[in-house]
């Protein structure tokens, strides 16, 4: 696959699923033991080399483009899902893909129109959603995020469990505008409402609601059609993700287009099915944990075996998801 290639045609959905597994799956395969994910152990590597390798792998994933409305476009591929608002005031981005995808990303944006890049929003702090912050700022965008995204990007993160090290982001990659609870604006024909989630996937999650077009971007509080990863290192929890999904279900209607952080475009039914799966998994794992079962015993009990054929086909299989739930209860 060539970096930056735009995918079209009848095979687009299949390629999106494959590329999503490549990007998200590779990263998550570093989190869990090989016995959990069914993967071979990764040879040891310096943390900085591992991050460089991750960026290289993400950068090879093609970019797919699909229209959400007259002014909104969904881009999928080398990182978390991106939404572009394109209109008379310029372009607004939600999330920024990963660094080595920038050349193809910029070309895709330029192909949409010659409108200037004016604003970019980070849905949360994770690198596969923020890795081009410096590039979008250099291209003219003012960067907006929750105040905890600024905090987290300004910190060192030594994530030994995944073998990655993150230095504090340079000043030119940090959000310039932050908010605590909500932020609203009118831009390029849309009323854009940003709102805070209580700690869910992380403690920096927000939703982005394009009210005229009835499009909602939920970041990684929603993984559509697959088990999710939750970052307990920055205060994520299974209960918080359930609460976030429940909050959004009360806000959307049957016509709302819901953009997940990873996975295909969804709707209210997809989000409800996801929330209900999380509730079921939490109850089962909580019962095992409350009875005194260790993490290893809970995983061995296979409490999600009936859910796995539907939800375990993404980056995380059933055993890994039990690990996520148990450790974030």
């Amino acid at each position: 696959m060539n970096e930056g290639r735009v995918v079209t045609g009848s095979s687009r959905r299949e390629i999106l699923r494959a590329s999503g597994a490549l990007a998200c799956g590779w990263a998550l395969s570093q989190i869990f033991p090989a016995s959990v994910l069914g993967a071979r152990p990764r040879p040891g590597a310096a943390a900085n080399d591992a991050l460089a390798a991750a960026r290289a792998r993400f950068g090879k994933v093609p970019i797919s483009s699909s229209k959400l409305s007259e002014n909104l476009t969904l881009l999928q591929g080398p990182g978390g899902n991106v939404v572009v608002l394109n209109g008379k005031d310029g372009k607004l981005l939600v999330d920024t893909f990963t660094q080595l995808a920038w050349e193809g990303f910029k070309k895709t944006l330029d192909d949409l129109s010659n409108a200037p890049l004016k604003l970019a929003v980070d849905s949360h702090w994770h690198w596969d959603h923020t890795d081009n912050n410096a590039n979008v700022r250099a291209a003219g965008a003012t960067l907006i995020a929750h105040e905890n995204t600024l905090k987290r990007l300004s910190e060192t993160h030594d994530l030994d469990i995944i073998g990655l090290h993150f230095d504090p982001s340079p000043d030119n990659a940090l959000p310039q505008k932050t908010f605590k609870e909500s932020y609203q604006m009118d831009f390029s024909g849309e009323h854009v409402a940003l709102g805070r989630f209580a700690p869910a996937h992380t403690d920096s999650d927000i939703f982005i609601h394009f009210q005229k077009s009835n499009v909602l971007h939920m970041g990684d509080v929603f993984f559509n059609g697959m088990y999710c990863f939750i970052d307990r290192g920055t205060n994520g929890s299974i209960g918080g993700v359930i609460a976030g999904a429940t909050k959004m279900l009360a806000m959307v209607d049957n016509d709302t287009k819901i953009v997940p952080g990873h996975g295909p475009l969804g709707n209210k039914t997809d989000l409800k099915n996801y929330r209900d799966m999380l509730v079921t998994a939490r109850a089962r794992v909580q019962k095992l944990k409350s009875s005194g079962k260790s993490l290893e015993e809970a995983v061995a009990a296979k409490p999600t075996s009936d859910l796995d054929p539907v939800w375990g086909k993404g980056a995380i299989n059933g055993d890994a998801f039990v690990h996520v739930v148990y450790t974030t209860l």
Side-chain angles (χ1 to χ4, degrees):
M1 293 180 291
N2 295 324
E3 181 180 337
R5 179 167 58 89
V6 178
V7 179
T8 59
S10 60
S11 64
R12 184 178 64 82
R13 179 175 291 272
E14 288 75 16
I15 294 173
L16 281 176
R17 290 183 182 276
S19 64
L22 169 65
C24 190
W26 181 84
L28 292 175
S29 71
Q30 312 309 303
I31 298 171
F32 303 100
S35 59
V36 173
L37 282 178
R40 291 177 298 172
R42 181 174 63 87
N48 287 337
D49 290 344
L51 180 57
R55 284 186 167 126
R57 287 176 183 256
F58 275 71
K60 294 177 182 178
V61 178
I63 296 173
S64 174
S65 174
S66 56
K67 294 290 285 186
L68 297 174
S69 70
E70 181 181 357
N71 290 340
L72 289 173
T73 301
L74 172 62
L75 304 180
Q76 297 180 278
N81 290 334
V82 169
V83 169
V84 185
L85 171 58
N86 176 41
K88 60 182 177 60
D89 298 324
K91 294 189 184 83
L92 176 153
L93 307 179
V94 178
D95 289 342
T96 69
F97 283 148
T98 53
Q99 279 185 17
L100 295 185
W102 175 244
E103 183 178 349
F105 186 20
K106 181 65 165 57
K107 182 181 185 303
T108 301
L109 294 175
D110 290 343
D111 287 345
L112 289 176
S113 79
N114 60 5
L117 183 56
K118 291 292 189 179
L119 298 170
V121 177
D122 290 335
S123 67
H124 63 294
W125 79 271
H126 280 162
W127 75 284
D128 56 317
H129 299 257
T130 62
D131 211 31
N132 275 308
N133 277 4
N135 284 324
V136 300
R137 282 190 54 176
T142 296
L143 196 61
I144 304 170
H146 187 266
E147 61 186 17
N148 281 350
T149 293
L150 174 59
K151 175 185 176 183
R152 295 305 185 186
L153 289 175
S154 301
E155 297 172 340
T156 297
H157 294 274
D158 284 302
L159 304 180
D160 293 338
I161 193 170
I162 60 174
L164 297 180
H165 170 86
F166 297 95
D167 290 320
S169 296
D171 288 346
N172 67 345
L174 296 176
Q176 297 139 288
K177 292 185 178 181
T178 64
F179 64 93
K180 184 173 183 178
E181 295 295 333
S182 64
Y183 185 93
Q184 300 195 32
M185 56 187 153
D186 292 300
F187 186 85
S188 286
E190 280 285 349
H191 185 74
V192 187
L194 315 181
R196 167 186 176 268
F197 287 109
H201 171 70
T202 70
D203 60 10
S204 63
D205 303 308
I206 64 170
F207 63 85
I208 302 91
H209 190 197
F210 300 92
Q211 294 183 348
K212 180 181 177 181
S213 296
N214 199 13
V215 171
L216 175 70
H217 195 312
M218 289 182 58
D220 280 3
V221 178
F222 182 28
F223 279 55
N224 190 18
M226 65 187 80
Y227 290 137
C228 64
F229 173 64
I230 302 169
D231 183 3
R232 64 189 174 110
T234 51
N235 299 318
S237 71
I238 180 66
V241 176
I242 291 170
T246 301
K247 178 179 180 177
M248 294 298 97
L249 283 170
M251 192 175 82
V252 301
D253 59 39
N254 291 333
D255 296 322
T256 307
K257 295 176 181 178
I258 307 176
V259 178
H262 298 275
L265 181 67
N267 56 32
K268 187 173 184 178
T269 298
D270 295 324
L271 181 58
K272 182 179 185 302
N273 290 340
Y274 174 74
R275 191 277 309 272
D276 292 349
M277 175 276 293
L278 296 175
V279 169
T280 298
R282 177 180 63 175
R284 293 175 182 178
V285 176
Q286 182 67 71
K287 183 176 181 180
L288 291 168
K289 189 171 186 177
S290 297
S291 71
K293 299 293 185 184
S294 67
L295 171 59
E296 293 75 16
E297 290 169 333
V299 170
K302 305 287 184 183
T304 63
S305 59
D306 60 322
L307 303 174
D308 295 346
V310 174
W311 298 95
K313 295 179 180 179
I316 303 179
N317 69 15
D319 288 353
F321 187 58
V322 173
H323 186 288
V324 167
V325 175
Y326 188 101
T327 56
T328 64
L329 281 169

